[in-house]
Amino acid sequence: MKSPLLEIARIQRSFGGLQAVRDLDFSVSEGHIQALIGPNGAGKTTVLNLIAGSLQPESGTVAYRGARITGWKPHAIARLGIARTFQTTKLFPHMTVLENVQVGRHVRSRAGFLAGMLHLPWAWREECCVREDSLDILAKMGLEGLAEMSAGNLSFGQQRLVEFARALAMEPSLLLLDEPAAGLNLHETGALARLIVKIRSWGITILLVEHDMSLVMDISDSIVVLDHGSKIAEGKPAEIQRNPEVIRVYLGEENA
């Protein structure tokens, strides 16, 4: 049996007296779209932060391709093949769309600040490759016409797509999406769902945190449900929809 791409084992994290994540276990299979859902305050974004290295668990482990990455710095985890997007877009508004994507691509480059300042030939060639690769990613996303536009002048939906392009520029094997449909209208959400499925077809595994249940149920292969930092259910979308504990958490005791 093939090992999971990502394994979370008994991780815990608290903030002051609040237990944000409690003894959590789950795994993500390679090639899947897996959703992580739950009401506000369930600990979903904290889990993504623990995977990406911006937070460290107080106990438990995070393993990627069978190797423990607990305690690794975010840049090292990114270079390993884990990229993410955020609830609110974090683009550089005064840079062009192309420059924003190139920032993500530089995770895969070797040239540092000094090599760039000295205009070394190999560093210049690498920078040309970064530009071309970034343009290719924009073309795959249908954003090539926006390459030279300032990111701050784009619509919210366009900015969200640029953030996706920047994450994809890192050549991830695992993409962490934190509420990607937040702030999008119905048409944009439908386009987003098709894009996520397309990204999966490119060989990229996806862990999705999302409140739009129609989106989650339509595209997910499996779902993990959190409540107050603990896992209360796990299974395929149809199983989660029928689960009494999930119904209770979302709709109240009388509907369960």
Side-chain angles (χ1 to χ4, degrees):
M1 185 176 177
K2 193 173 183 180
S3 299
L5 181 66
L6 180 76
E7 292 180 275
I8 305 298
R10 304 181 69 86
I11 59 170
Q12 296 200 86
R13 175 71 195 204
S14 59
F15 300 97
L18 174 66
Q19 189 81 44
V21 179
R22 304 168 183 263
D23 206 23
L24 180 62
D25 291 279
F26 72 91
S27 61
V28 181
S29 298
E30 191 163 9
H32 279 202
I33 298 173
Q34 179 151 319
L36 187 62
I37 67 171
N40 287 331
K44 305 179 297 296
T45 295
T46 300
V47 172
L48 293 193
N49 289 336
L50 291 169
I51 296 168
S54 51
L55 285 176
Q56 298 300 326
E58 294 160 343
S59 61
T61 60
V62 179
Y64 180 69
R65 296 194 183 281
R68 177 173 171 156
I69 60 171
T70 317
W72 286 35
K73 298 295 185 182
H75 70 272
I77 291 174
R79 290 184 69 88
L80 195 63
I82 300 177
R84 71 170 298 180
T85 66
F86 296 86
Q87 289 180 13
T88 55
T89 56
K90 295 183 180 292
L91 300 179
F92 299 101
H94 301 298
M95 293 169 60
T96 67
V97 167
L98 176 59
E99 288 167 342
N100 270 277
V101 176
Q102 286 177 277
V103 168
R105 193 65 184 169
H106 275 112
V107 169
R108 295 294 174 195
S109 65
R110 296 182 299 114
F113 176 76
L114 184 59
M117 288 292 292
L118 295 175
H119 301 289
L120 299 178
W122 67 267
W124 180 83
R125 288 193 297 271
E126 185 176 65
E127 189 63 29
C128 290
C129 289
V130 165
R131 177 183 172 84
E132 291 304 313
D133 290 342
S134 299
L135 285 169
D136 286 344
I137 291 164
L138 287 174
K140 288 177 72 173
M141 299 280 291
L143 299 172
E144 62 269 38
L146 303 178
E148 299 304 327
M149 284 189 62
S150 172
N153 292 334
L154 302 180
S155 69
F156 181 81
Q158 290 172 325
Q159 289 184 10
R160 182 70 82 192
L161 291 177
V162 173
E163 188 174 40
F164 268 59
R166 184 174 62 187
L168 292 172
M170 298 164 62
E171 293 186 0
S173 299
L174 175 64
L175 181 59
L176 312 177
L177 302 179
D178 194 356
E179 297 191 27
L184 301 184
N185 60 37
L186 192 61
H187 173 75
E188 290 170 332
T189 300
L192 174 71
R194 293 188 293 273
L195 174 62
I196 293 172
V197 171
K198 180 188 287 188
I199 290 170
R200 191 259 301 273
S201 75
W202 296 339
I204 299 171
T205 303
I206 293 165
L207 179 58
L208 167 71
V209 166
E210 184 52 65
H211 281 293
D212 188 320
M213 288 300 102
S214 294
L215 172 64
V216 168
M217 295 300 168
D218 282 347
I219 69 173
S220 299
D221 296 301
S222 58
I223 300 172
V224 173
V225 188
L226 301 185
D227 184 35
H228 294 96
S230 298
K231 183 174 71 175
I232 62 169
E234 184 173 8
K236 295 184 182 300
E239 297 168 342
I240 297 301
Q241 287 176 313
R242 296 192 301 265
N243 187 293
E245 184 66 8
V246 176
I247 295 171
R248 182 191 65 79
V249 166
Y250 273 96
L251 300 178
E253 195 72 47
E254 65 278 5
N255 292 294

